Amino acid sequence: MAGARVIHHEFSTIGGQRNAAIEAATEDWILVVDADERGSTALGLDVAQAIKSNQLDAHRVPRRNFFLGREVKHGGWQSDRPVRLFRKSVRYNSSRVHEHVEVTGEIGELRNGLVHEPYPTIDSWFEKLDRYSKWWAEDKLVPR
């Protein structure tokens, strides 16, 4: 594990998992990269420059999205720029579907980004569609 520290946290939401990891972080800046994403040396240089400039609390990271091995350039995916680099003081919201960090103030944008390959098979896409539609319906339509 090359010196990595493993943290166990009871799952509630993806944002909750990320917030627990942020709490445990020992550095002032967080870069979120999911298991289905890959960065580049150019992205690493952008991250270092953004941290060095120390002007903003958060930065968007553009993503090139792929579906079953082909890049998606339409349907909103071509402009996918989630906030992925931010100060440790920033936290994710509690949404189960499309969680995001809550930032006050100006958000910067890095030039270089991530390659995102979330669906290796059509079955994986249907599984996530089923899970997310169920969660969305429960959160929006089921009285608590």
Side-chain angles (χ1 to χ4, degrees):
M1 291 202 306
R5 180 170 49 124
V6 177
I7 301 166
H8 175 75
H9 183 264
E10 183 90 19
F11 184 83
S12 59
T13 65
I14 295 168
Q17 290 297 102
R18 290 180 174 179
N19 287 339
I22 293 166
E23 284 290 327
T26 58
E27 299 297 326
D28 294 332
W29 284 88
I30 307 296
L31 175 64
V32 176
V33 179
D34 289 343
D36 59 5
E37 297 171 333
R38 301 290 176 267
S40 66
T41 301
L43 173 59
L45 294 171
D46 281 357
V47 168
Q49 182 59 40
I51 291 170
K52 184 179 178 182
S53 74
N54 206 30
Q55 295 177 349
L56 301 172
D57 291 339
H59 300 269
R60 297 185 180 283
V61 177
R63 291 195 301 187
R64 291 179 55 211
N65 291 286
F66 290 77
F67 183 78
L68 302 177
R70 296 183 67 183
E71 187 169 6
V72 180
K73 297 183 179 183
H74 306 285
W77 281 32
Q78 75 282 1
S79 57
D80 184 20
R81 290 166 172 74
V83 174
R84 290 300 189 82
L85 176 64
F86 49 87
R87 293 183 193 274
K88 185 179 175 178
S89 59
V90 173
R91 293 294 182 274
Y92 279 84
N93 67 3
S94 61
S95 297
R96 288 197 287 178
V97 178
H98 300 305
E99 76 290 338
H100 60 277
V101 294
E102 297 181 327
V103 179
T104 56
E106 184 182 352
I107 300 173
E109 184 168 331
L110 302 185
R111 189 169 26 144
N112 294 287
L114 296 165
V115 171
H116 184 216
E117 300 180 88
Y119 308 109
T121 66
I122 194 72
D123 288 340
S124 64
W125 180 76
F126 278 115
E127 184 277 325
K128 187 171 183 180
L129 177 66
D130 182 55
R131 181 170 23 106
Y132 273 39
S133 60
K134 178 184 174 196
W135 285 351
W136 185 91
E138 288 173 355
D139 289 350
K140 302 294 182 189
L141 305 174
V142 177
R144 293 188 186 229

